[in-house]
Amino acid sequence: MEKINIFGLNRERQNCKQNCCKKNIIVIRSKHMDSQLRLSRRHILQLATAGGLTVLFSRLDGLYSKGLWEGDILDISKVGPFTPDMGDVAKREFFGDDFKRVHPYIWKSEDVLKKPPHLKEKHKVVIVGGGLGGLFSAYQLRDLKPVVLEQAPQFGGNAKGQTWRKTRYCMGSAYMTVPAEGSVMEKIFKDIGLEKFYKFKKGHEPVAVDNNLIADYWTTINKRLPQMNEIDELVEDFNLGRNGRIYPEISGGTKITSAVKKLDRMTFRQFLESEIGEIHSELLAQIDFYCVGAFNATSDEVSAAAALNFYCAEGAMVVLPGGNGLLAEQLIKHMHPTVGDKNLRTGEIVLRVEVKDGGVAVHSFCPETQKITLIEAEAVVLACPKFVVGNILKNIEQDRFDAINQYKYRSYLVANILVNKRIDPTFYEILMVKSADLKTKMTGKNLRRATDIVHASFGMVGTDHTVISMYRPMPYEGGRQELYESGAYEKFRSEFENQIRNDVLPILKINPHELVDIRLTQWGHAIPIAQPGLLAGNVCQKVRAPHKDRVFFVEQDNWALPAMETSASEAIYWEPFVRKVVSRKKSI
Ligand SMILES: Cc1cc2nc3c(=O)[nH]c(=O)nc-3n(C[C@H](O)[C@H](O)[C@H](O)COP(=O)(O)OP(=O)(O)OC[C@H]3O[C@@H](n4cnc5c(N)ncnc54)[C@H](O)[C@@H]3O)c2cc1C
């Protein structure tokens, strides 16, 4: 055990209690099971082919459905979206995106691929990227046994989580809307057993102004600021299709209408001001806080179409234990028996995708083994961000390349605070503002702190400890470079610690001695900016159009809308197109 100092307190670093991080095993544990089951990957495969895995998982499903989360761990330790327990004190380093692992290879892919491939395979479908978009695609196409290639050591993309004292908490993508009744998404959620985990997020959350928690901030704002009523009316108009307004549908198979394009030609602020006149500074500040939280950009930068698409859909929100990582895990769990263990691959960086000889050649590289694999596929789904597509898609069309270059991505930081006491989940999210924020127009560059506290244990009841997340958008250009700089971790850690000491502890009435650890996650290219003109100028349409009838695109940046719903609905939309290519049965 190593003694270390965090936040002025001495702690001990422990090895992973399960001691499973170093071993190639899958651990499935439950205190309600007779014994701990330790299964090698080979055993899992055997069970899967014998149908045993379904039985095993359904036993766990049964436990979860009884609400027995506390004490149950489903730990697909090598590849799942949740990192197992790292003990009370984790290493002082960024979790999340690991730039150093990918950049040397992706930037020099031609050099790496000078060597001949070590392995050659043939598959019907290859999916590049194992974030929610890639996993939804793989789930939808599971009968075709697609190969999923994810560059990171774990699946989940931005929807990953960690575990502490059996509590799962989220490191990024946290909550989602309730799928519409009768929708394909609702059916998928039922099929993968997600509904039993639903915990609903309240409509009106408290706001901390100068550390004073105001529980009724949103219920009283309409009285203080009548313009809020006008905005509420507008939202209702869009949602009910009243007064000539229609909710701006964007993702999936929906056609971008001229009304949506019109909204997309202006910023959210321009739209609101055209409707309700100059916006009161406090209301504008709140609108900007909403925009930077959701889009990593202010109301002067976000398209009105994109902002209304999000803002009008706010309502019944679902929080899963551990956030949207649980969705990723359920998708993996439920496709795994059909797709097969060997087809779900992490640590494989795709360096080149090329349509040739009546098929698609996909080259991937594993930095750990230094091996190159060439897969010949009938169809490929690129579920990686478009700046990656620009790098790896050989013979990319000039207009697609130019369209991709119009996209801008911004970084995000998340801190998870481990607290040694139960904090009642009477809130999910608390916005932290200063009274000065409510008087001055926000500029992204000046926002250099976390804006929200989230009760990360919200989806898990009955614990005597709590995880609190802090979300820190970086709504300005150059944020990613700040993360690359040497000393970045200590710099941001110290800024988080100051904010925790000065704001979070007083707001949540936590004593410093109750803090156990602080864990920082960086998301380098996390959010594509929903800038005006991407829809109206057909930029997104060019970016997501199939390439040479064999390569399809599924990711949140298909529509520059950073939400799980975008990734999922794109996966659902493109599924039949992929099937059509495969059913052509043209030899490759
Ligand atoms: C801090 C934060 C909070 C968020 N909160 C929410 C929220 O509450 N609700 C919500 O709906 N959305 C939220 N989002 C948006 C979130 O990004 C989406 O929910 C969703 O996770 C996006 O999934 P995706 O598959 O489209 O993209 P990604 O998660 O980015 O997945 C792309 C995958 O491609 C992989 N990849 C990239 N290059 C390669 C390569 N060359 N070879 C192989 N693999 C590659 C990446 O490693 C990654 O796993 C949040 C995002 C962030 C950063």
Side-chain angles (χ1 to χ4, degrees), residues 217 221 224-228 231 269 273 276-287 438-439:
Y217 184 91
I221 192 170
R224 280 185 294 114
L225 303 170
Q227 277 183 321
M228 190 69 217
I231 294 180
R269 184 180 175 191
E273 293 199 330
I276 64 171
E278 195 184 338
I279 306 169
H280 185 281
S281 63
E282 180 176 343
L283 196 51
L284 185 57
Q286 291 296 2
I287 291 164
L438 304 177
K439 293 179 194 134

Side-chain angles (χ1 to χ4, degrees), residues 201-311:
K201 175 175 165 333
K202 278 198 302 181
H204 293 297
E205 299 278 11
V207 175
V209 182
D210 296 330
N211 295 356
N212 297 313
L213 207 55
I214 306 175
D216 61 355
Y217 184 91
W218 292 113
T219 46
T220 55
I221 192 170
N222 298 53
K223 286 190 196 122
R224 280 185 294 114
L225 303 170
Q227 277 183 321
M228 190 69 217
N229 294 317
E230 294 178 64
I231 294 180
D232 288 347
E233 288 269 312
L234 272 173
V235 168
E236 265 197 76
D237 282 354
F238 278 107
N239 280 338
L240 300 174
R242 246 177 15 195
N243 296 327
R245 302 190 197 275
I246 298 167
Y247 173 74
E249 285 288 356
I250 296 177
S251 54
T254 46
K255 235 187 151 44
I256 301 300
T257 61
S258 53
V260 173
K261 286 190 173 179
K262 193 174 165 202
L263 287 170
D264 187 59
R265 287 194 189 93
M266 50 188 140
T267 66
F268 193 30
R269 184 180 175 191
Q270 283 167 344
F271 167 74
L272 288 174
E273 293 199 330
S274 71
E275 295 288 331
I276 64 171
E278 195 184 338
I279 306 169
H280 185 281
S281 63
E282 180 176 343
L283 196 51
L284 185 57
Q286 291 296 2
I287 291 164
D288 276 326
F289 272 103
Y290 176 78
C291 288
V292 294
F295 295 101
N296 222 342
T298 66
S299 62
D300 290 317
E301 299 174 294
V302 177
S303 138
L308 287 164
N309 176 283
F310 269 36
Y311 192 77

Side-chain angles (χ1 to χ4, degrees), residues 20 55 73 110 120 130 309 394 414 424 435 461 468 497 536 572:
C20 52
V55 176
I73 298 178
E110 292 304 320
K120 281 190 184 176
N309 176 283
K394 193 109 173 143
V414 179
D424 284 334
S435 40
V461 285
I468 297 293
E497 286 191 3
I572 292 165

Side-chain angles (χ1 to χ4, degrees), residues 129 131-133 149-151 157-158 173-175 350 383 526 555-556 564 567:
L132 285 174
L149 300 172
E150 165 56 47
Q151 60 82 18
N158 293 337
S173 184
Y175 60 85
V350 172
E555 220 258 1
Q556 60 180 358
M564 148 274 143
S567 322

Side-chain angles (χ1 to χ4, degrees), residues 518-536:
I518 300 163
R519 295 171 183 179
L520 263 51
T521 299
Q522 63 178 3
W523 299 110
H525 308 269
I527 306 268
I529 306 304
Q531 319 154 64
L534 291 184
L535 307 173

